[in-house]
């Protein structure tokens, strides 16, 4: 994503050659290798306000460019094993050191039960499901589907016939008055099939459970890392910001499968939801996504490899720390 945004000068000066949303639907000109990584039109339309000036006369990309221009080096949550070509692009366009700090996978203490009463009831339901049968559905703390999207999602889950555990946010904080609701009768009809959780849920502990096989996610990178650490296959449904770029990287590397959508408005149907879930979770055609999740687990969950990335940046920081001036004798 940092490489896709580009060098700082055009962002600061406002002379980026990309002026229209459709300009972001193709790889940028500073990327010399063949790639499909670019925004879908519906994704950039949900994100394009970042190029528009706010009340202060400054836009988000200008602020981003100023930060990148002023820093001494760039540290990014990434690894050479996943995207070496993009890390090289970063060094080229910024002409300063770039350090991948690894994928920062969860550590053991994060799996401790922090709310045993809430988790115990969730675990009880998960324990009753067959191993590697359940799809976990969650879109992070910020992303929220529209009412139309929520309806198709719910009916798609029902239509799939797969067991599901859905952590659903119907509003983003108390200031969000645009409430969304499940289709009438959905929870009653799916009582034996799945669970809808509208409160806190321990995502790491859910993903670590052996009954979970797949993760329908917004493609936020923390969620991606957590899922792959626990070998969960990825079904992708993006909403805004860097999610579209993350999804294209995962698609290109055959690590995740995106639900088919209308290219202009991003709409999708219950049928496409159901078919996508069945493809990734159970069909022979989608076996490669299940296999890739297991393959990536060895990379994303490799603690020794992770420590080496962190060690590299610590060595750099120690060797480049400012030298204190000798105290004056007078």
């Amino acid at each position: 994503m940092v490489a896709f945004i580009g060098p700082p000068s055009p962002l600061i000066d406002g002379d980026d050659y990309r002026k229209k949303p459709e300009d972001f639907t193709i790889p940028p000109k500073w990327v010399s290798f063949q790639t499909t990584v670019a925004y879908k039109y519906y994704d950039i339309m949900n994100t394009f306000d970042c190029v528009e000036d706010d009340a202060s006369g400054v836009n988000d990309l200008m602020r981003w460019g100023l930060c990148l221009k002023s820093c001494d080096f760039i540290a990014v949550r990434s690894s050479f094993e996943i995207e070496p070509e993009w890390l090289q692009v970063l060094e080229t366009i910024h002409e300063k050191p770039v350090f991948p700090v690894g994928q920062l996978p969860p550590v053991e203490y994060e799996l401790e039960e922090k709310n045993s009463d809430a988790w115990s009831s969730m675990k009880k339901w998960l324990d009753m499901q067959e191993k590697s049968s359940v799809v976990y559905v969650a879109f992070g703390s910020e992303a929220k589907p529209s009412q139309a999207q929520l309806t198709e999602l719910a009916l798609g889950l029902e239509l799939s016939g797969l067991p599901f555990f859905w952590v659903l946010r119907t509003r983003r904080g108390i200031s969000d008055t645009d409430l969304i609701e499940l289709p009438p009768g959905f929870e009653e009809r799916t009582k034996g099939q799945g669970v809808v959780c509208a409160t806190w849920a321990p995502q790491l502990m859910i993903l670590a459970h052996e009954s979970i096989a797949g993760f329908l996610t917004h493609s936020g990178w923390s969620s991606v890392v957590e899922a792959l650490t626990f070998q969960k296959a990825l079904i992708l449904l993006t909403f805004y910001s860097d999610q579209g770029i993350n999804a294209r990287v995962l698609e290109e590397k055959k690590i995740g499968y995106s639900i088919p959508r209308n290219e202009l408005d991003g709409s999708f149907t219950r049928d496409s939801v159901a078919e996508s879930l069945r493809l990734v979770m159970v069909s022979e055609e989608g076996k490669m996504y299940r296999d890739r999740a297991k393959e990536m687990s060895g990379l994303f969950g490799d603690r020794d490899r992770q420590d080496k990335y962190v060690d590299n940046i610590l060595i750099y920081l120690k060797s480049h720390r400012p030298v204190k001036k000798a105290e004056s004798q007078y």
Side-chain angles (χ1 to χ4, degrees):
M1 181 62 184
V2 183
F4 187 88
I5 291 176
S9 294
L11 303 177
I12 297 169
D13 300 335
D15 57 1
D16 190 336
Y17 76 95
R18 298 171 298 183
K19 303 294 185 183
K20 305 183 296 297
E22 49 267 35
D23 295 333
F24 291 83
T25 61
I26 57 175
K29 62 184 181 182
W30 48 83
V31 175
S32 59
F33 52 87
Q34 290 294 316
T35 181
T36 58
V37 175
Y39 275 110
K40 296 291 188 182
Y41 186 80
Y42 55 81
D43 273 325
I44 189 59
M45 286 302 296
N46 289 334
T47 309
F48 200 65
D49 58 357
C50 69
V51 307
E52 299 171 350
D53 292 350
D54 59 22
S56 68
V58 178
N59 62 53
D60 292 342
L61 289 185
M62 184 183 296
R63 293 187 177 91
W64 181 257
L66 289 167
C67 289
L68 289 172
K69 183 178 181 180
S70 302
C71 70
D72 297 312
F73 66 93
I74 298 170
V76 59
R77 187 181 189 178
S78 184
S79 60
F80 290 115
E81 295 84 0
I82 294 295
E83 45 185 0
E85 66 278 46
W86 289 99
L87 290 166
Q88 183 58 57
V89 170
L90 271 183
E91 285 202 340
T92 301
I93 64 178
H94 291 292
E95 299 180 326
K96 60 183 65 178
V98 173
F99 287 94
V101 298
Q103 300 297 343
L104 306 178
V107 292
E108 288 299 321
Y109 72 82
E110 294 180 287
L111 286 170
E112 295 175 358
E113 298 184 16
K114 299 176 181 177
N115 190 326
S116 57
D117 290 339
W119 168 237
S120 61
S121 62
M122 298 176 193
K123 184 177 184 299
K124 182 178 180 180
W125 185 86
L126 291 169
D127 287 344
M128 293 189 296
Q129 310 308 311
E130 292 184 14
K131 183 178 179 180
S132 300
S133 65
V134 180
V135 57
Y136 173 55
V137 185
F139 303 121
S141 58
E142 296 296 326
K144 187 185 81 170
S146 67
Q147 182 60 61
Q149 290 173 332
L150 177 64
T151 298
E152 295 305 310
L153 274 169
L155 297 179
L157 280 166
E158 181 180 358
L159 187 61
S160 75
L162 296 169
F164 63 85
F165 191 101
W166 188 359
V167 178
L168 174 63
R169 294 185 183 277
T170 57
R171 62 190 302 179
R172 290 191 293 254
I174 58 175
S175 62
D176 183 4
T177 58
D178 185 19
L179 298 180
I180 52 177
E181 298 179 345
L182 290 167
F186 170 78
E187 289 184 270
E188 183 64 30
R189 294 194 306 272
T190 60
K191 186 174 293 184
Q193 178 186 352
V195 171
V196 178
C197 174
T199 59
W200 171 88
Q203 178 159 296
L204 282 179
M205 293 158 72
I206 294 170
L207 285 171
H209 198 279
E210 66 177 6
S211 70
I212 302 294
F215 185 10
L216 174 52
T217 173
H218 60 308
S219 306
W221 202 250
S222 290
S223 290
V224 168
V225 170
E226 291 168 3
L228 294 177
T229 298
F230 296 114
Q231 305 184 15
K232 310 308 180 185
L234 295 171
I235 308 99
L236 313 174
L237 185 69
T238 60
F239 293 91
Y240 65 94
S241 189
D242 62 337
Q243 298 164 15
I245 297 300
N246 293 345
R248 300 296 88 73
V249 171
L250 295 167
E251 287 174 8
E252 188 172 79
K253 298 180 182 298
K254 307 299 182 185
I255 301 174
Y257 179 83
S258 289
I259 292 176
R261 304 169 70 171
N262 180 289
E263 290 285 327
L264 294 180
D265 63 15
S267 60
F268 52 87
T269 68
R270 64 200 68 177
D271 290 324
S272 65
V273 172
E275 290 165 7
S276 298
L277 291 173
R278 287 195 294 261
L279 183 149
V280 174
M281 294 278 289
V282 298
S283 78
E284 184 62 30
E285 182 184 353
K287 184 176 182 294
M288 62 176 165
Y289 298 106
R290 302 191 291 276
D291 290 344
R292 284 289 274 166
K294 294 175 183 176
E295 179 185 341
M296 289 296 103
S297 175
L299 169 61
F300 280 68
D302 188 332
R303 183 57 52 187
D304 290 337
R305 193 192 306 265
Q306 171 66 41
D307 288 344
K308 288 178 182 178
Y309 277 115
V310 176
D311 288 343
N312 285 340
I313 195 169
L314 290 176
I315 291 169
Y316 179 84
L317 289 170
K318 288 180 179 179
S319 64
H320 288 76
R321 59 187 174 186
V323 178
K324 290 183 178 179
K325 294 182 179 180
E327 294 184 6
S328 173
Q329 301 178 35
Y330 305 101

